[in-house]
Amino acid sequence: QLPLALLLSLLIGYIVWLATANRMSLSWQISYGITANEFMVYCQPLINAQSGDCDGIELLLRWHNARQGWIPPDVFIPLAERENLIAPLTRFVIDKAVAQLPNLPRCPSFHIAINVAASHFRDRAIVEDLQQLWWPANPLPKLVVELTERDALPVVDQKVISQLHSIGVRLAIDDFGTGHSSLSYLKDLQPDVLKIDKIFTAAIGTDAINATVTDMVISLAQRLNISLVAEGVETAEQADYLRERGVDLLQGYFYARPMPIEDFPAWLAQHQAR
Ligand code: C2E
Ligand code: CA
Ligand code: CA
Ligand code: CA
């Protein structure tokens, strides 16, 4: 009787331990990955639709985990958001960008865009982080914060937006037209930039309904004097279509795939010499 009870409680203890260890491990691995240099900052050029110049870059996180190899951001970003680890990751991206500033263009038309989760936005931490990490780097290239939203409408403090504007940061709404991003964002957040999601770019010439949405987003932004960036541009046809309709910046594999930020100066030199 006694050995069986002991065996059972040992077994239950083992299962509980296993479950906790597994639950802990992913968020622990993100924390560990930050200190172990497993994260990298990649960037993707933003191309001026009219001039063809590179007018900026978007910074994109990459994670190469020692045990599991490459883990895509679509997997680890939502996890980091749930586990309250998104702010340290954003700070890591800002840090890396600041370190690269001496190698990046200084012209007034060039800007750097970073992705910021709405959860990091909500508590004003983002303003402090930008002031601490970005502000000391002088002279400052223009910064655009791309607000990404996965779960629900962000309750964004108007003060946060005006503070960001006062330190020269522009606000973009990412993936406009998908998920939870909605028309009410335009009124509440008063963005400077809208990013047309790649599903709408992909619809050009193939999907009449989504292409109509693309056209409407473009004319909406133009009427409200909001700049437009189209992501996921993969073909010359898409680029021409978007350019003809006045989209300001184009981003996608047609121009360049995301690359390590350290490789960008060489890419830019080649692009300018084209
Ligand atoms: P996103 O902000 O919408 O970024 C654009 C995604 O489209 C990137 O995926 C990029 O690699 C991909 N892409 C670029 N050009 C093309 C194209 O021509 N065709 C196609 N099919 N895809 C293209 P990635 O790097 O895998 O990132 C996925 C998402 O993860 C991002 O979507 C963003 O929401 C999130 N993310 C990435 N880095 C960060 C970060 O530092 N912070 C936060 N909060 N989120 C991030
Ligand atoms: Ca983005
Ligand atoms: Ca996007
Ligand atoms: Ca997207």
Side-chain angles (χ1 to χ4, degrees):
Q1 196 70 353
L2 197 68
L4 188 70
L6 190 70
L7 211 68
L8 256 170
S9 62
L10 272 177
L11 188 71
I12 290 167
Y14 179 65
I15 290 168
V16 168
W17 175 82
L18 206 71
T20 328
N22 250 332
R23 190 160 49 77
M24 297 285 287
S25 72
L26 276 172
S27 58
W28 183 83
Q29 280 181 58
I30 293 179
S31 309
Y32 172 79
I34 297 175
T35 55
N37 263 324
E38 291 186 348
F39 286 92
M40 280 155 273
V41 174
Y42 273 47
C43 72
Q44 190 176 29
L46 301 162
I47 306 296
N48 184 307
Q50 296 305 323
S51 67
D53 293 340
C54 176
D55 276 1
I57 47 177
E58 176 182 0
L59 305 184
L60 295 160
L61 262 173
R62 292 290 177 266
W63 185 16
H64 191 268
N65 178 265
R67 263 197 287 171
Q68 299 175 45
W70 292 99
I71 301 176
D74 288 329
V75 173
F76 72 80
I77 296 284
L79 179 82
E81 282 185 47
R82 274 203 304 280
E83 304 282 339
N84 276 326
L85 285 164
I86 197 69
L89 282 176
T90 312
R91 282 196 284 273
F92 171 81
V93 172
I94 299 169
D95 262 342
K96 279 280 141 92
V98 170
Q100 281 298 315
L101 283 180
N103 308 319
L104 297 176
R106 275 296 146 81
C107 52
S109 57
F110 191 83
H111 73 270
I112 297 173
I114 62 167
N115 291 287
V116 175
S119 54
H120 191 183
F121 228 84
R122 215 167 274 144
D123 56 4
R124 283 201 215 180
I126 188 62
V127 179
E128 274 157 41
D129 288 340
L130 286 172
Q131 273 173 326
Q132 269 174 22
L133 297 165
W134 192 263
W135 201 232
N138 216 355
L140 290 164
K142 276 193 234 154
L143 191 67
V144 173
V145 161
E146 297 188 2
L147 182 63
T148 60
E149 181 51 72
R150 258 163 270 275
D151 299 324
L153 280 165
V155 188
V156 175
D157 193 338
Q158 291 301 318
K159 273 204 198 112
V160 174
I161 297 181
S162 52
Q163 279 173 337
L164 283 176
H165 278 144
S166 73
I167 62 170
V169 175
R170 286 182 296 156
L171 183 69
I173 297 182
D174 210 344
D175 303 333
F176 190 73
T178 69
H180 288 86
S181 93
S182 76
L183 287 175
S184 67
Y185 273 33
L186 296 178
K187 189 165 83 49
D188 297 345
L189 303 178
Q190 306 205 348
D192 308 284
V193 182
L194 283 188
K195 291 199 78 172
I196 300 172
D197 191 72
K198 53 179 175 269
I199 64 162
F200 297 113
T201 304
I204 294 166
T206 63
D207 171 347
I209 291 181
N210 272 332
T212 308
V213 176
T214 312
D215 290 348
M216 290 187 68
V217 170
I218 292 172
S219 65
L220 183 68
Q222 286 167 343
R223 283 193 206 183
L224 295 172
N225 225 355
I226 300 172
S227 308
L228 276 164
V229 182
E231 65 177 33
V233 179
E234 293 184 353
T235 68
E237 185 202 359
Q238 292 165 351
D240 292 342
Y241 183 97
L242 295 160
R243 184 183 308 105
E244 280 161 20
R245 279 160 185 75
V247 172
D248 304 280
L249 295 173
L250 306 174
Q251 173 183 11
Y253 298 165
F254 180 64
Y255 297 101
R257 292 198 172 239
M259 64 189 90
I261 191 167
E262 294 81 9
D263 294 352
F264 174 71
W267 179 90
L268 184 66
Q270 226 173 22
H271 181 76
Q272 282 167 338
R274 83 202 183 278

